[in-house]
Amino acid sequence: MEHYDMHLTLKVWRQPNGNTAGDFKTYEVNNISSEMSFLEMFDVLNERLINEGEDPIAFDHDCREGICGACSMVIDGKPHGPWAQNTTCQLHMRAFKDGDTIVVEPWRAKAFPVVKDLVVDRSSFDRIIQAGGYISVNTGNAVDANSLPIEKKKADDAFAAAACIGCGACVAACKNSSALLFTSAKVAQLSLLPQGAPERKTRVLDMVAQMDKEGFGSCTSTGACEATCPKGISITNIAKLNKEYLWASLTRE
């Protein structure tokens, strides 16, 4: 693969804190390798800003391997940037051309308030999980993998739903800032497995109630969440959640 260096113009959202208005600030960056990741490019810029006595740009990151879901940026209007099923940390600069202007901003949602610059508070997702995204069965010692027979389709569907990394791209992409794809993935994953049966009714009711309490919007089935999800979580999980919610509402004691 051909390697080349680029000159880029970055328009980055700068905001000191959640109580202060922010705006875009323009930066020129030179000698950016096409093989750098997007976050490595920000590292280079931040090193320069520090050397110049400026405040570096705050952004979230952790594993930088597409696993943790921390690297939340909207790049040129698309969460995680132009590549499909890809996180920001795995986006490489060869996705852009020499001379490009790139606009970078944080997730935009009431339930994801800005902490600083590109960092948002996503603890609302944690509270949705705390409301019911778990099992309380005391399993004791690990059992043999085949001791609980599960039909292959259910196992595959549960595995696909469990791939959700909770990054929040679905919320950032949705015109209503809905968290239904995230919530439905967690509900579907556990409702398909026997381990999730004890809390099956209370789980969906409590998680949806917490989701609404956090201020996320409604789903209007435009599919933007699935299109931008870095793990390709399917909106069929939303249908599963709706089914679970209706069943739980009609049969709860």
Side-chain angles (χ1 to χ4, degrees), residues 177-192:
S177 298
S178 171
L180 207 57
L181 187 67
F182 164 78
T183 306
S184 68
K186 303 306 179 184
V187 168
Q189 170 197 347
L190 294 173
S191 68
L192 289 164

Side-chain angles (χ1 to χ4, degrees), residues 25 27-28 44-55:
K25 189 169 182 180
Y27 301 94
E28 302 288 331
V44 171
L45 174 57
N46 276 343
E47 286 286 345
R48 193 189 84 198
L49 294 178
I50 292 170
N51 289 334
E52 294 173 353
E54 292 188 45
D55 192 27

Side-chain angles (χ1 to χ4, degrees), residues 4-248:
Y4 53 93
D5 288 337
M6 292 182 286
H7 168 268
L8 300 166
T9 301
L10 302 178
K11 292 186 176 180
V12 183
W13 184 261
R14 303 301 309 264
Q15 187 170 344
N17 54 64
N19 299 318
T20 306
D23 59 4
F24 286 100
K25 189 169 182 180
T26 302
Y27 301 94
E28 302 288 331
V29 288
N30 296 302
N31 300 318
I32 298 299
S33 168
S34 59
E35 298 311 300
M36 281 183 179
S37 73
F38 201 81
L39 297 190
E40 287 172 334
M41 180 271 295
F42 261 96
D43 290 338
V44 171
L45 174 57
N46 276 343
E47 286 286 345
R48 193 189 84 198
L49 294 178
I50 292 170
N51 289 334
E52 294 173 353
E54 292 188 45
D55 192 27
I57 299 165
F59 61 92
D60 258 335
H61 65 95
D62 193 359
C63 73
R64 297 202 180 196
E65 294 178 348
I67 298 171
C68 71
C71 54
S72 49
M73 296 183 190
V74 176
I75 303 167
D76 286 342
K78 184 176 180 182
H80 291 301
W83 285 355
Q85 296 190 15
N86 192 78
T87 54
T88 299
C89 63
Q90 295 295 293
L91 177 67
H92 285 72
M93 299 311 298
R94 60 179 177 270
F96 306 95
K97 300 189 296 293
D98 183 32
D100 275 357
T101 297
I102 306 172
V103 180
V104 188
E105 54 191 313
W107 288 170
R108 303 290 190 181
K110 177 184 177 182
F112 288 160
V114 173
V115 176
K116 182 178 180 180
D117 296 340
L118 304 176
V119 179
V120 298
D121 180 359
R122 293 176 298 160
S123 58
S124 52
F125 269 13
D126 296 331
R127 290 188 289 273
I128 292 174
I129 293 297
Q130 290 166 2
Y134 56 83
I135 60 171
S136 59
V137 177
N138 184 0
T139 58
N141 295 328
V143 297
D144 292 337
N146 62 351
S147 63
L148 289 174
I150 302 171
E151 63 180 88
K152 187 176 187 308
K153 186 177 187 314
K154 286 188 176 181
D156 288 346
D157 289 347
F159 186 85
C164 171
I165 58 177
C167 68
C170 52
V171 177
C174 178
K175 64 181 181 179
N176 303 321
S177 298
S178 171
L180 207 57
L181 187 67
F182 164 78
T183 306
S184 68
K186 303 306 179 184
V187 168
Q189 170 197 347
L190 294 173
S191 68
L192 289 164
L193 301 175
Q195 293 92 335
E199 290 102 1
R200 188 172 175 182
K201 291 184 183 180
T202 57
R203 174 182 300 113
V204 64
L205 295 174
D206 292 345
M207 291 182 75
V208 169
Q210 186 65 38
M211 179 184 69
D212 292 341
K213 182 180 178 181
E214 295 295 340
F216 291 105
S218 302
C219 174
T220 48
S221 302
T222 61
C225 53
E226 180 184 292
T228 56
C229 176
K231 298 302 176 181
I233 303 299
S234 172
I235 57 175
T236 58
N237 288 301
I238 297 178
K240 289 187 179 75
L241 180 142
N242 290 334
K243 180 180 178 181
E244 289 288 316
Y245 188 86
L246 179 60
W247 173 73

